[in-house]
Amino acid sequence: MHILNLLPQGPLPYLDVDAIQRYIHRLVSTTSHPDTFIVWEASDTYTAGRRTKPADIPDPTVAVIRMDRGGSVTYHGPGQLVIYPIIKINPPADAVKFVRATESAMIRALRTIGVETSAIAGRSGVWVKRRGDIDRKLCAIGIKFSRDTTMHGMAFNVFTDLAKFMRVIPCGLADAGVTSLAQIGEKENLPCARYTLPQAAALLLPALAEAYAQFIPPARKDGALTPLREEKYLARIEEEREKAAHLPKIGIPRLPSAQKTEQRQNTGEQTS
């Protein structure tokens, strides 16, 4: 497995990395590029998956980018580790099995640093369940298969500003909340309260690579996590942005100012 580590670039516009993802996905799907983890941090963005309902976005001023992943609406932003596994798998594609493997790998990795998490039947992601509190999602997961190759992935809250989630109904679950490693660490007096994004990536990536080995043909299995030079991929952003087909926005009324913001996001321009 190769790693394209974009964390040193700081928070990046969502659609810029989406363009890189789609470029790598096209290559991996034809086996002309190695299976790759894209590891990055987003600037403030709200994205809506295929299961998003209008009621999941009660604030009409929130600019939302609709994406072709599973799940509902969520927030991406600074302090959140985003991992896209781009993997050519043995057919047939089994999205449920892949998501369960992702959850189990992350749960095992988190247990090694003293953080107890779990999966919840019928609700994808990695959850924190504590007596006397609502269930809180630590990591959202939204995977898509195309040409027997995975794309999109997981958004893991390390020291994310959790208040940003409150402008939407995170993952469309009104009876649940969100949490972060920092919040868990502070409550339970654990070292993860001070984790950085690179530390979180170093914790999770080996566990994910091990879990995904079952989906990869033996001839392509490689236990090493090998870095890729990010400059090559960053240079393709403009080219890929022009090629990318912009998906339709979710059909929710917006104020003119929000519409203008969303148009800028969908052309890849940075917003203030």
Side-chain angles (χ1 to χ4, degrees), residues 218-253:
R220 290 189 9 253
K221 288 182 181 178
D222 182 356
L225 288 169
T226 307
L228 296 172
R229 290 179 62 86
E230 69 269 18
E231 294 89 348
K232 169 185 174 182
Y233 299 92
L234 292 169
R236 297 193 64 97
I237 286 176
E238 292 297 333
E239 179 182 344
E240 293 305 311
R241 185 188 291 153
E242 292 298 322
K243 293 180 182 177
H246 296 306
L247 298 164
K249 325 293 187 304
I250 191 164
I252 297 173

PDB file of all heavy atoms in Angstrom, residues 218-253:
ATOM      1  N   PRO A 218      -3.721 -11.773  -4.042  1.00  0.00           N
ATOM      2  CA  PRO A 218      -2.392 -12.091  -3.479  1.00  0.00           C
ATOM      3  C   PRO A 218      -1.231 -11.483  -4.261  1.00  0.00           C
ATOM      4  O   PRO A 218      -0.242 -11.055  -3.665  1.00  0.00           O
ATOM      5  CB  PRO A 218      -2.365 -13.621  -3.524  1.00  0.00           C
ATOM      6  CG  PRO A 218      -3.799 -14.027  -3.460  1.00  0.00           C
ATOM      7  CD  PRO A 218      -4.557 -12.973  -4.205  1.00  0.00           C
ATOM      8  N   ALA A 219      -1.348 -11.414  -5.577  1.00  0.00           N
ATOM      9  CA  ALA A 219      -0.235 -10.913  -6.389  1.00  0.00           C
ATOM     10  C   ALA A 219       0.048  -9.441  -6.138  1.00  0.00           C
ATOM     11  O   ALA A 219       1.142  -8.952  -6.442  1.00  0.00           O
ATOM     12  CB  ALA A 219      -0.529 -11.130  -7.870  1.00  0.00           C
ATOM     13  N   ARG A 220      -0.941  -8.710  -5.583  1.00  0.00           N
ATOM     14  CA  ARG A 220      -0.765  -7.277  -5.367  1.00  0.00           C
ATOM     15  C   ARG A 220      -0.585  -6.927  -3.907  1.00  0.00           C
ATOM     16  O   ARG A 220      -0.462  -5.753  -3.562  1.00  0.00           O
ATOM     17  CB  ARG A 220      -1.965  -6.496  -5.934  1.00  0.00           C
ATOM     18  CG  ARG A 220      -2.017  -6.498  -7.441  1.00  0.00           C
ATOM     19  CD  ARG A 220      -3.051  -5.557  -8.032  1.00  0.00           C
ATOM     20  NE  ARG A 220      -3.684  -4.676  -7.100  1.00  0.00           N
ATOM     21  CZ  ARG A 220      -4.958  -4.811  -6.683  1.00  0.00           C
ATOM     22  NH1 ARG A 220      -5.695  -5.813  -7.095  1.00  0.00           N
ATOM     23  NH2 ARG A 220      -5.482  -3.939  -5.850  1.00  0.00           N
ATOM     24  N   LYS A 221      -0.573  -7.896  -3.018  1.00  0.00           N
ATOM     25  CA  LYS A 221      -0.420  -7.606  -1.598  1.00  0.00           C
ATOM     26  C   LYS A 221       1.002  -7.162  -1.299  1.00  0.00           C
ATOM     27  O   LYS A 221       1.970  -7.766  -1.752  1.00  0.00           O
ATOM     28  CB  LYS A 221      -0.780  -8.829  -0.756  1.00  0.00           C
ATOM     29  CG  LYS A 221      -2.277  -9.129  -0.717  1.00  0.00           C
ATOM     30  CD  LYS A 221      -2.583 -10.306   0.166  1.00  0.00           C
ATOM     31  CE  LYS A 221      -4.076 -10.607   0.159  1.00  0.00           C
ATOM     32  NZ  LYS A 221      -4.417 -11.787   0.977  1.00  0.00           N
ATOM     33  N   ASP A 222       1.100  -6.083  -0.534  1.00  0.00           N
ATOM     34  CA  ASP A 222       2.406  -5.560  -0.134  1.00  0.00           C
ATOM     35  C   ASP A 222       2.230  -4.953   1.248  1.00  0.00           C
ATOM     36  O   ASP A 222       1.505  -3.976   1.418  1.00  0.00           O
ATOM     37  CB  ASP A 222       2.881  -4.498  -1.130  1.00  0.00           C
ATOM     38  CG  ASP A 222       4.260  -3.960  -0.790  1.00  0.00           C
ATOM     39  OD1 ASP A 222       4.813  -4.356   0.254  1.00  0.00           O
ATOM     40  OD2 ASP A 222       4.782  -3.138  -1.565  1.00  0.00           O
ATOM     41  N   GLY A 223       2.880  -5.556   2.235  1.00  0.00           N
ATOM     42  CA  GLY A 223       2.681  -5.113   3.610  1.00  0.00           C
ATOM     43  C   GLY A 223       3.262  -3.754   3.928  1.00  0.00           C
ATOM     44  O   GLY A 223       2.909  -3.142   4.930  1.00  0.00           O
ATOM     45  N   ALA A 224       4.177  -3.259   3.072  1.00  0.00           N
ATOM     46  CA  ALA A 224       4.840  -1.987   3.372  1.00  0.00           C
ATOM     47  C   ALA A 224       3.922  -0.809   3.071  1.00  0.00           C
ATOM     48  O   ALA A 224       3.157  -0.828   2.114  1.00  0.00           O
ATOM     49  CB  ALA A 224       6.124  -1.872   2.552  1.00  0.00           C
ATOM     50  N   LEU A 225       4.000   0.221   3.914  1.00  0.00           N
ATOM     51  CA  LEU A 225       3.302   1.479   3.675  1.00  0.00           C
ATOM     52  C   LEU A 225       4.328   2.464   3.113  1.00  0.00           C
ATOM     53  O   LEU A 225       5.175   2.974   3.849  1.00  0.00           O
ATOM     54  CB  LEU A 225       2.670   2.008   4.967  1.00  0.00           C
ATOM     55  CG  LEU A 225       1.453   1.222   5.459  1.00  0.00           C
ATOM     56  CD1 LEU A 225       1.075   1.660   6.863  1.00  0.00           C
ATOM     57  CD2 LEU A 225       0.282   1.391   4.517  1.00  0.00           C
ATOM     58  N   THR A 226       4.266   2.688   1.821  1.00  0.00           N
ATOM     59  CA  THR A 226       5.301   3.442   1.116  1.00  0.00           C
ATOM     60  C   THR A 226       4.795   4.831   0.752  1.00  0.00           C
ATOM     61  O   THR A 226       3.730   4.960   0.133  1.00  0.00           O
ATOM     62  CB  THR A 226       5.710   2.702  -0.173  1.00  0.00           C
ATOM     63  OG1 THR A 226       6.057   1.361   0.163  1.00  0.00           O
ATOM     64  CG2 THR A 226       6.872   3.396  -0.852  1.00  0.00           C
ATOM     65  N   PRO A 227       5.523   5.892   1.112  1.00  0.00           N
ATOM     66  CA  PRO A 227       5.046   7.248   0.804  1.00  0.00           C
ATOM     67  C   PRO A 227       5.194   7.588  -0.676  1.00  0.00           C
ATOM     68  O   PRO A 227       6.120   7.139  -1.352  1.00  0.00           O
ATOM     69  CB  PRO A 227       5.952   8.148   1.660  1.00  0.00           C
ATOM     70  CG  PRO A 227       7.200   7.348   1.856  1.00  0.00           C
ATOM     71  CD  PRO A 227       6.766   5.909   1.902  1.00  0.00           C
ATOM     72  N   LEU A 228       4.262   8.383  -1.183  1.00  0.00           N
ATOM     73  CA  LEU A 228       4.328   8.953  -2.518  1.00  0.00           C
ATOM     74  C   LEU A 228       4.697  10.428  -2.405  1.00  0.00           C
ATOM     75  O   LEU A 228       4.369  11.080  -1.420  1.00  0.00           O
ATOM     76  CB  LEU A 228       2.975   8.821  -3.234  1.00  0.00           C
ATOM     77  CG  LEU A 228       2.468   7.402  -3.515  1.00  0.00           C
ATOM     78  CD1 LEU A 228       1.037   7.466  -4.042  1.00  0.00           C
ATOM     79  CD2 LEU A 228       3.361   6.692  -4.516  1.00  0.00           C
ATOM     80  N   ARG A 229       5.355  10.967  -3.414  1.00  0.00           N
ATOM     81  CA  ARG A 229       5.707  12.393  -3.422  1.00  0.00           C
ATOM     82  C   ARG A 229       4.465  13.212  -3.776  1.00  0.00           C
ATOM     83  O   ARG A 229       3.909  13.085  -4.860  1.00  0.00           O
ATOM     84  CB  ARG A 229       6.817  12.659  -4.427  1.00  0.00           C
ATOM     85  CG  ARG A 229       8.171  12.076  -4.004  1.00  0.00           C
ATOM     86  CD  ARG A 229       9.225  12.359  -5.056  1.00  0.00           C
ATOM     87  NE  ARG A 229       9.417  13.790  -5.231  1.00  0.00           N
ATOM     88  CZ  ARG A 229      10.235  14.546  -4.495  1.00  0.00           C
ATOM     89  NH1 ARG A 229      10.925  13.993  -3.507  1.00  0.00           N
ATOM     90  NH2 ARG A 229      10.364  15.821  -4.726  1.00  0.00           N
ATOM     91  N   GLU A 230       4.038  14.057  -2.830  1.00  0.00           N
ATOM     92  CA  GLU A 230       2.783  14.769  -3.031  1.00  0.00           C
ATOM     93  C   GLU A 230       2.855  15.829  -4.116  1.00  0.00           C
ATOM     94  O   GLU A 230       1.816  16.205  -4.690  1.00  0.00           O
ATOM     95  CB  GLU A 230       2.306  15.404  -1.714  1.00  0.00           C
ATOM     96  CG  GLU A 230       3.140  16.564  -1.201  1.00  0.00           C
ATOM     97  CD  GLU A 230       4.244  16.120  -0.280  1.00  0.00           C
ATOM     98  OE1 GLU A 230       4.600  14.926  -0.284  1.00  0.00           O
ATOM     99  OE2 GLU A 230       4.772  16.979   0.449  1.00  0.00           O
ATOM    100  N   GLU A 231       4.044  16.326  -4.434  1.00  0.00           N
ATOM    101  CA  GLU A 231       4.149  17.408  -5.422  1.00  0.00           C
ATOM    102  C   GLU A 231       3.545  17.003  -6.764  1.00  0.00           C
ATOM    103  O   GLU A 231       2.879  17.806  -7.421  1.00  0.00           O
ATOM    104  CB  GLU A 231       5.608  17.818  -5.625  1.00  0.00           C
ATOM    105  CG  GLU A 231       6.263  18.464  -4.414  1.00  0.00           C
ATOM    106  CD  GLU A 231       6.904  17.444  -3.489  1.00  0.00           C
ATOM    107  OE1 GLU A 231       6.646  16.234  -3.663  1.00  0.00           O
ATOM    108  OE2 GLU A 231       7.641  17.862  -2.583  1.00  0.00           O
ATOM    109  N   LYS A 232       3.771  15.774  -7.182  1.00  0.00           N
ATOM    110  CA  LYS A 232       3.257  15.295  -8.467  1.00  0.00           C
ATOM    111  C   LYS A 232       1.742  15.406  -8.520  1.00  0.00           C
ATOM    112  O   LYS A 232       1.170  15.780  -9.555  1.00  0.00           O
ATOM    113  CB  LYS A 232       3.694  13.849  -8.674  1.00  0.00           C
ATOM    114  CG  LYS A 232       3.001  13.150  -9.845  1.00  0.00           C
ATOM    115  CD  LYS A 232       3.403  11.694  -9.896  1.00  0.00           C
ATOM    116  CE  LYS A 232       2.612  10.954 -10.957  1.00  0.00           C
ATOM    117  NZ  LYS A 232       2.945   9.503 -11.005  1.00  0.00           N
ATOM    118  N   TYR A 233       1.081  15.109  -7.417  1.00  0.00           N
ATOM    119  CA  TYR A 233      -0.374  15.066  -7.403  1.00  0.00           C
ATOM    120  C   TYR A 233      -0.962  16.456  -7.212  1.00  0.00           C
ATOM    121  O   TYR A 233      -1.995  16.788  -7.798  1.00  0.00           O
ATOM    122  CB  TYR A 233      -0.846  14.096  -6.319  1.00  0.00           C
ATOM    123  CG  TYR A 233      -0.337  12.704  -6.584  1.00  0.00           C
ATOM    124  CD1 TYR A 233       0.871  12.260  -6.046  1.00  0.00           C
ATOM    125  CD2 TYR A 233      -1.028  11.851  -7.424  1.00  0.00           C
ATOM    126  CE1 TYR A 233       1.365  11.000  -6.324  1.00  0.00           C
ATOM    127  CE2 TYR A 233      -0.541  10.583  -7.706  1.00  0.00           C
ATOM    128  CZ  TYR A 233       0.656  10.169  -7.161  1.00  0.00           C
ATOM    129  OH  TYR A 233       1.137   8.920  -7.454  1.00  0.00           O
ATOM    130  N   LEU A 234      -0.315  17.281  -6.402  1.00  0.00           N
ATOM    131  CA  LEU A 234      -0.786  18.647  -6.228  1.00  0.00           C
ATOM    132  C   LEU A 234      -0.716  19.413  -7.543  1.00  0.00           C
ATOM    133  O   LEU A 234      -1.559  20.268  -7.824  1.00  0.00           O
ATOM    134  CB  LEU A 234       0.040  19.354  -5.153  1.00  0.00           C
ATOM    135  CG  LEU A 234      -0.165  18.828  -3.732  1.00  0.00           C
ATOM    136  CD1 LEU A 234       0.891  19.411  -2.805  1.00  0.00           C
ATOM    137  CD2 LEU A 234      -1.553  19.153  -3.218  1.00  0.00           C
ATOM    138  N   ALA A 235       0.263  19.095  -8.377  1.00  0.00           N
ATOM    139  CA  ALA A 235       0.409  19.783  -9.657  1.00  0.00           C
ATOM    140  C   ALA A 235      -0.735  19.462 -10.608  1.00  0.00           C
ATOM    141  O   ALA A 235      -0.979  20.196 -11.567  1.00  0.00           O
ATOM    142  CB  ALA A 235       1.741  19.403 -10.292  1.00  0.00           C
ATOM    143  N   ARG A 236      -1.456  18.377 -10.354  1.00  0.00           N
ATOM    144  CA  ARG A 236      -2.542  17.978 -11.243  1.00  0.00           C
ATOM    145  C   ARG A 236      -3.890  18.552 -10.848  1.00  0.00           C
ATOM    146  O   ARG A 236      -4.895  18.307 -11.522  1.00  0.00           O
ATOM    147  CB  ARG A 236      -2.640  16.450 -11.277  1.00  0.00           C
ATOM    148  CG  ARG A 236      -1.410  15.748 -11.839  1.00  0.00           C
ATOM    149  CD  ARG A 236      -1.727  14.306 -12.119  1.00  0.00           C
ATOM    150  NE  ARG A 236      -2.740  14.205 -13.167  1.00  0.00           N
ATOM    151  CZ  ARG A 236      -2.458  13.993 -14.457  1.00  0.00           C
ATOM    152  NH1 ARG A 236      -1.204  13.879 -14.849  1.00  0.00           N
ATOM    153  NH2 ARG A 236      -3.424  13.888 -15.348  1.00  0.00           N
ATOM    154  N   ILE A 237      -3.941  19.300  -9.755  1.00  0.00           N
ATOM    155  CA  ILE A 237      -5.233  19.774  -9.263  1.00  0.00           C
ATOM    156  C   ILE A 237      -5.983  20.570 -10.325  1.00  0.00           C
ATOM    157  O   ILE A 237      -7.165  20.327 -10.595  1.00  0.00           O
ATOM    158  CB  ILE A 237      -5.064  20.610  -7.972  1.00  0.00           C
ATOM    159  CG1 ILE A 237      -4.750  19.686  -6.798  1.00  0.00           C
ATOM    160  CG2 ILE A 237      -6.330  21.408  -7.672  1.00  0.00           C
ATOM    161  CD1 ILE A 237      -4.474  20.413  -5.501  1.00  0.00           C
ATOM    162  N   GLU A 238      -5.321  21.552 -10.946  1.00  0.00           N
ATOM    163  CA  GLU A 238      -6.003  22.391 -11.929  1.00  0.00           C
ATOM    164  C   GLU A 238      -6.515  21.555 -13.091  1.00  0.00           C
ATOM    165  O   GLU A 238      -7.655  21.721 -13.539  1.00  0.00           O
ATOM    166  CB  GLU A 238      -5.055  23.484 -12.431  1.00  0.00           C
ATOM    167  CG  GLU A 238      -4.696  24.523 -11.384  1.00  0.00           C
ATOM    168  CD  GLU A 238      -5.910  25.315 -10.918  1.00  0.00           C
ATOM    169  OE1 GLU A 238      -6.889  25.449 -11.694  1.00  0.00           O
ATOM    170  OE2 GLU A 238      -5.897  25.788  -9.771  1.00  0.00           O
ATOM    171  N   GLU A 239      -5.689  20.660 -13.590  1.00  0.00           N
ATOM    172  CA  GLU A 239      -6.098  19.822 -14.716  1.00  0.00           C
ATOM    173  C   GLU A 239      -7.278  18.933 -14.352  1.00  0.00           C
ATOM    174  O   GLU A 239      -8.258  18.826 -15.102  1.00  0.00           O
ATOM    175  CB  GLU A 239      -4.922  18.956 -15.166  1.00  0.00           C
ATOM    176  CG  GLU A 239      -5.244  18.031 -16.321  1.00  0.00           C
ATOM    177  CD  GLU A 239      -4.069  17.154 -16.701  1.00  0.00           C
ATOM    178  OE1 GLU A 239      -2.934  17.475 -16.274  1.00  0.00           O
ATOM    179  OE2 GLU A 239      -4.280  16.152 -17.409  1.00  0.00           O
ATOM    180  N   GLU A 240      -7.206  18.310 -13.183  1.00  0.00           N
ATOM    181  CA  GLU A 240      -8.267  17.407 -12.776  1.00  0.00           C
ATOM    182  C   GLU A 240      -9.547  18.153 -12.428  1.00  0.00           C
ATOM    183  O   GLU A 240     -10.648  17.649 -12.631  1.00  0.00           O
ATOM    184  CB  GLU A 240      -7.803  16.557 -11.593  1.00  0.00           C
ATOM    185  CG  GLU A 240      -6.704  15.586 -11.948  1.00  0.00           C
ATOM    186  CD  GLU A 240      -7.097  14.692 -13.102  1.00  0.00           C
ATOM    187  OE1 GLU A 240      -8.200  14.119 -13.070  1.00  0.00           O
ATOM    188  OE2 GLU A 240      -6.305  14.590 -14.056  1.00  0.00           O
ATOM    189  N   ARG A 241      -9.404  19.370 -11.912  1.00  0.00           N
ATOM    190  CA  ARG A 241     -10.584  20.167 -11.583  1.00  0.00           C
ATOM    191  C   ARG A 241     -11.396  20.454 -12.842  1.00  0.00           C
ATOM    192  O   ARG A 241     -12.626  20.443 -12.842  1.00  0.00           O
ATOM    193  CB  ARG A 241     -10.149  21.471 -10.919  1.00  0.00           C
ATOM    194  CG  ARG A 241     -11.309  22.327 -10.425  1.00  0.00           C
ATOM    195  CD  ARG A 241     -10.789  23.666  -9.967  1.00  0.00           C
ATOM    196  NE  ARG A 241     -10.010  23.543  -8.764  1.00  0.00           N
ATOM    197  CZ  ARG A 241      -9.047  24.384  -8.428  1.00  0.00           C
ATOM    198  NH1 ARG A 241      -8.713  25.368  -9.229  1.00  0.00           N
ATOM    199  NH2 ARG A 241      -8.393  24.231  -7.300  1.00  0.00           N
ATOM    200  N   GLU A 242     -10.697  20.705 -13.952  1.00  0.00           N
ATOM    201  CA  GLU A 242     -11.383  20.970 -15.209  1.00  0.00           C
ATOM    202  C   GLU A 242     -12.099  19.724 -15.718  1.00  0.00           C
ATOM    203  O   GLU A 242     -13.175  19.815 -16.319  1.00  0.00           O
ATOM    204  CB  GLU A 242     -10.375  21.453 -16.251  1.00  0.00           C
ATOM    205  CG  GLU A 242      -9.781  22.813 -15.959  1.00  0.00           C
ATOM    206  CD  GLU A 242     -10.824  23.911 -15.937  1.00  0.00           C
ATOM    207  OE1 GLU A 242     -11.755  23.857 -16.768  1.00  0.00           O
ATOM    208  OE2 GLU A 242     -10.724  24.797 -15.079  1.00  0.00           O
ATOM    209  N   LYS A 243     -11.508  18.553 -15.486  1.00  0.00           N
ATOM    210  CA  LYS A 243     -12.098  17.311 -15.978  1.00  0.00           C
ATOM    211  C   LYS A 243     -13.268  16.838 -15.128  1.00  0.00           C
ATOM    212  O   LYS A 243     -14.166  16.149 -15.610  1.00  0.00           O
ATOM    213  CB  LYS A 243     -11.036  16.204 -16.004  1.00  0.00           C
ATOM    214  CG  LYS A 243      -9.931  16.410 -17.018  1.00  0.00           C
ATOM    215  CD  LYS A 243      -8.958  15.252 -16.923  1.00  0.00           C
ATOM    216  CE  LYS A 243      -7.796  15.407 -17.882  1.00  0.00           C
ATOM    217  NZ  LYS A 243      -6.820  14.298 -17.727  1.00  0.00           N
ATOM    218  N   ALA A 244     -13.223  17.149 -13.837  1.00  0.00           N
ATOM    219  CA  ALA A 244     -14.189  16.570 -12.893  1.00  0.00           C
ATOM    220  C   ALA A 244     -15.611  17.010 -13.247  1.00  0.00           C
ATOM    221  O   ALA A 244     -15.883  18.176 -13.491  1.00  0.00           O
ATOM    222  CB  ALA A 244     -13.855  17.000 -11.470  1.00  0.00           C
ATOM    223  N   ALA A 245     -16.512  16.056 -13.289  1.00  0.00           N
ATOM    224  CA  ALA A 245     -17.926  16.367 -13.513  1.00  0.00           C
ATOM    225  C   ALA A 245     -18.523  16.778 -12.183  1.00  0.00           C
ATOM    226  O   ALA A 245     -18.529  16.013 -11.228  1.00  0.00           O
ATOM    227  CB  ALA A 245     -18.639  15.137 -14.062  1.00  0.00           C
ATOM    228  N   HIS A 246     -19.033  18.007 -12.113  1.00  0.00           N
ATOM    229  CA  HIS A 246     -19.592  18.488 -10.856  1.00  0.00           C
ATOM    230  C   HIS A 246     -20.970  17.870 -10.643  1.00  0.00           C
ATOM    231  O   HIS A 246     -21.857  17.991 -11.476  1.00  0.00           O
ATOM    232  CB  HIS A 246     -19.677  20.009 -10.851  1.00  0.00           C
ATOM    233  CG  HIS A 246     -18.327  20.665 -10.919  1.00  0.00           C
ATOM    234  ND1 HIS A 246     -17.316  20.384 -10.035  1.00  0.00           N
ATOM    235  CD2 HIS A 246     -17.817  21.564 -11.787  1.00  0.00           C
ATOM    236  CE1 HIS A 246     -16.243  21.088 -10.329  1.00  0.00           C
ATOM    237  NE2 HIS A 246     -16.519  21.813 -11.404  1.00  0.00           N
ATOM    238  N   LEU A 247     -21.106  17.211  -9.528  1.00  0.00           N
ATOM    239  CA  LEU A 247     -22.363  16.540  -9.209  1.00  0.00           C
ATOM    240  C   LEU A 247     -23.436  17.555  -8.858  1.00  0.00           C
ATOM    241  O   LEU A 247     -23.138  18.660  -8.404  1.00  0.00           O
ATOM    242  CB  LEU A 247     -22.129  15.591  -8.034  1.00  0.00           C
ATOM    243  CG  LEU A 247     -21.120  14.486  -8.341  1.00  0.00           C
ATOM    244  CD1 LEU A 247     -20.644  13.844  -7.059  1.00  0.00           C
ATOM    245  CD2 LEU A 247     -21.762  13.462  -9.254  1.00  0.00           C
ATOM    246  N   PRO A 248     -24.704  17.219  -9.064  1.00  0.00           N
ATOM    247  CA  PRO A 248     -25.775  18.177  -8.746  1.00  0.00           C
ATOM    248  C   PRO A 248     -25.851  18.488  -7.263  1.00  0.00           C
ATOM    249  O   PRO A 248     -25.549  17.644  -6.423  1.00  0.00           O
ATOM    250  CB  PRO A 248     -27.046  17.450  -9.202  1.00  0.00           C
ATOM    251  CG  PRO A 248     -26.676  16.002  -9.202  1.00  0.00           C
ATOM    252  CD  PRO A 248     -25.223  15.948  -9.562  1.00  0.00           C
ATOM    253  N   LYS A 249     -26.213  19.707  -6.935  1.00  0.00           N
ATOM    254  CA  LYS A 249     -26.387  20.100  -5.539  1.00  0.00           C
ATOM    255  C   LYS A 249     -27.629  19.425  -4.968  1.00  0.00           C
ATOM    256  O   LYS A 249     -28.553  19.079  -5.692  1.00  0.00           O
ATOM    257  CB  LYS A 249     -26.558  21.621  -5.387  1.00  0.00           C
ATOM    258  CG  LYS A 249     -25.760  22.466  -6.349  1.00  0.00           C
ATOM    259  CD  LYS A 249     -24.281  22.372  -6.117  1.00  0.00           C
ATOM    260  CE  LYS A 249     -23.566  23.374  -7.005  1.00  0.00           C
ATOM    261  NZ  LYS A 249     -23.848  23.233  -8.436  1.00  0.00           N
ATOM    262  N   ILE A 250     -27.627  19.265  -3.678  1.00  0.00           N
ATOM    263  CA  ILE A 250     -28.818  18.729  -3.038  1.00  0.00           C
ATOM    264  C   ILE A 250     -29.943  19.762  -3.110  1.00  0.00           C
ATOM    265  O   ILE A 250     -29.708  20.963  -3.009  1.00  0.00           O
ATOM    266  CB  ILE A 250     -28.535  18.326  -1.578  1.00  0.00           C
ATOM    267  CG1 ILE A 250     -29.688  17.521  -1.015  1.00  0.00           C
ATOM    268  CG2 ILE A 250     -28.217  19.526  -0.712  1.00  0.00           C
ATOM    269  CD1 ILE A 250     -29.329  16.787   0.249  1.00  0.00           C
ATOM    270  N   GLY A 251     -31.156  19.305  -3.340  1.00  0.00           N
ATOM    271  CA  GLY A 251     -32.260  20.225  -3.611  1.00  0.00           C
ATOM    272  C   GLY A 251     -32.847  20.855  -2.365  1.00  0.00           C
ATOM    273  O   GLY A 251     -33.969  20.553  -1.967  1.00  0.00           O
ATOM    274  N   ILE A 252     -32.100  21.739  -1.736  1.00  0.00           N
ATOM    275  CA  ILE A 252     -32.552  22.432  -0.534  1.00  0.00           C
ATOM    276  C   ILE A 252     -32.441  23.929  -0.774  1.00  0.00           C
ATOM    277  O   ILE A 252     -31.402  24.411  -1.234  1.00  0.00           O
ATOM    278  CB  ILE A 252     -31.704  22.034   0.687  1.00  0.00           C
ATOM    279  CG1 ILE A 252     -31.889  20.526   0.962  1.00  0.00           C
ATOM    280  CG2 ILE A 252     -32.068  22.839   1.916  1.00  0.00           C
ATOM    281  CD1 ILE A 252     -30.984  20.009   2.037  1.00  0.00           C
ATOM    282  N   PRO A 253     -33.496  24.711  -0.513  1.00  0.00           N
ATOM    283  CA  PRO A 253     -33.433  26.160  -0.764  1.00  0.00           C
ATOM    284  C   PRO A 253     -32.298  26.802   0.023  1.00  0.00           C
ATOM    285  O   PRO A 253     -32.028  26.456   1.161  1.00  0.00           O
ATOM    286  CB  PRO A 253     -34.797  26.656  -0.281  1.00  0.00           C
ATOM    287  CG  PRO A 253     -35.676  25.460  -0.302  1.00  0.00           C
ATOM    288  CD  PRO A 253     -34.794  24.296   0.005  1.00  0.00           C
TER     289      PRO A 253
END
